[in-house]
Amino acid sequence: MAANDNRTVTIAAIARLAGVSVPTVSRVINGRSDVAPQTRQRVEELLTRHGYRRRPPSMRASSGLVDLVFNDLDSPWAVEIIRGVEDVAHAAGVGTVVSAIHRRTSSAKQWLDNIRTRSTEGVIFVTSTLEAPQQAELRRLNIPVVIVDPAGVPAQDAPMIGATNWAGSLRATEYLIGLGHRRIGFIAGPPQLMCSRARMDGYRAALETAGIPVDDRLIQAGNFYHEAGFSGGVRLLGLVDPPTAIFASSDQMALGVYEAVRQRGLRVPDDVSVVGFDDLPEVRWSSPPLTTVRQPLAEMGMLAARTVLRLAKGEKVESPRIELATELVVRDSAAAPRS
């Protein structure tokens, strides 16, 4: 087989040296999973030793697909991200493959095995990540990666898309302080997420700037879901000196706080003010409509899709990390505390 793209060795030569067929070498080069591990290792070693240069991303055949990978899909938050990605993908004539790996190594491995058997323009990870060997495998396959709200330590060479979580949390807490609140409860998100840590830091910074001591009893662990908001709200409202306001670091947790307030025979915002974070579509219809920090979820998805499609064409991105602006949306769930 004649060499292409000025490669220093042909696939046929590698096949002869490895004692395998030309199609087997081709499957190894394309990352297919239907090759025995020992054979794959022998072929890979020969490819490396003889300087075989894989086709760069800009020269790969177009697959017409973008992969969008979540930990879970049971949240309206995920729906907004999907909507943004699909808007851009559809306009580009590209389909979207949505997967959930459920925080399980086995699911992530199964997903990666599937990727090896087909082509993809690139992968967008949302609040999820792969282990280092799996990240290395995507690089070996020349598959571009973009991360939205990274979990853990993200790959250093992958562009990251997020929102100004620290600034949004600071603004929400400052708003409650401006209403006269001094005991402000906080329900945090998953600690492994960078966005969760930024929201916690923004809350603390606002209190410290206002000269209000941070009371760790007013901080509850959460996971962005309704149940965590409810249980955190129950614990906060059960304190001897409960907060007059609760800032939940997701809208779903804020709605869980609503139920905790209701079950205690109290009212929002007459007895307890509540603020959320996300501005999901349904919170404007909650009772009362929720004051929250809007993060542009659909726009984040759109930007991630544009970025991964640019990378698939071999283009460079200007910044490795982009944060879109958040905005405080004031509705009816927060008021001045009762004197």
Side-chain angles (χ1 to χ4, degrees), residues 100-172:
I101 57 177
H102 306 294
R103 299 176 180 82
R104 293 196 294 264
T105 300
S106 59
S107 296
K109 183 179 182 301
Q110 183 180 21
W111 172 82
L112 189 56
D113 287 343
N114 176 265
I115 285 291
R116 290 193 188 100
T117 66
R118 61 177 173 83
S119 298
T120 181
E121 298 295 312
V123 181
I124 301 169
F125 288 106
V126 184
T127 64
S128 59
T129 189
L130 296 178
E131 296 178 356
Q134 295 164 329
Q135 293 178 12
E137 179 68 2
L138 288 176
R139 286 194 295 271
R140 189 187 69 79
L141 295 172
N142 287 321
I143 296 176
V145 171
V146 173
I147 303 172
V148 177
D149 278 339
V153 179
Q156 295 300 311
D157 56 350
M160 293 178 284
I161 310 295
T164 55
N165 290 285
W166 184 89
S169 183
L170 179 83
R171 179 70 187 92

Side-chain angles (χ1 to χ4, degrees), residues 131-325:
E131 296 178 356
Q134 295 164 329
Q135 293 178 12
E137 179 68 2
L138 288 176
R139 286 194 295 271
R140 189 187 69 79
L141 295 172
N142 287 321
I143 296 176
V145 171
V146 173
I147 303 172
V148 177
D149 278 339
V153 179
Q156 295 300 311
D157 56 350
M160 293 178 284
I161 310 295
T164 55
N165 290 285
W166 184 89
S169 183
L170 179 83
R171 179 70 187 92
T173 310
E174 287 178 338
Y175 174 70
L176 291 170
I177 293 170
L179 290 174
H181 295 279
R182 292 298 177 268
R183 289 188 61 76
I184 302 171
F186 182 78
I187 305 179
Q192 72 273 18
L193 295 182
M194 291 176 65
C195 61
S196 296
R197 299 197 294 269
R199 292 174 199 179
M200 169 79 82
D201 291 344
Y203 161 79
R204 287 178 173 274
L207 293 179
E208 291 166 358
T209 301
I212 302 173
V214 176
D215 185 346
D216 288 338
R217 293 172 299 176
L218 294 179
I219 299 175
Q220 296 292 321
N223 60 8
F224 288 162
Y225 289 94
H226 295 93
E227 295 82 0
F230 173 75
S231 59
V234 167
R235 288 191 294 271
L236 287 169
L237 295 173
L239 293 173
V240 175
D241 188 9
T244 59
I246 298 175
F247 175 24
S249 57
S250 79
D251 283 352
Q252 287 184 279
M253 292 199 300
L255 296 180
V257 173
Y258 270 31
E259 180 61 15
V261 172
R262 187 193 68 81
Q263 289 194 15
R264 201 164 181 88
L266 303 175
R267 298 182 62 184
V268 176
D270 298 353
D271 303 298
V272 183
S273 291
V274 179
V275 173
F277 200 114
D278 284 329
D279 195 27
L280 297 175
E282 65 263 34
V283 300
R284 72 189 63 183
W285 306 110
S286 60
S287 182
L290 180 68
T291 292
T292 187
V293 177
R294 179 182 184 270
Q295 63 167 334
L297 295 168
E299 290 89 339
M300 289 161 61
M302 293 172 71
L303 180 57
R306 292 192 191 102
T307 301
V308 84
L309 290 174
R310 287 183 60 190
L311 292 172
K313 295 175 182 177
E315 299 177 14
K316 300 291 185 182
V317 295
E318 292 77 14
S319 174
R321 178 162 179 81
I322 300 174
E323 290 188 341
L324 301 184

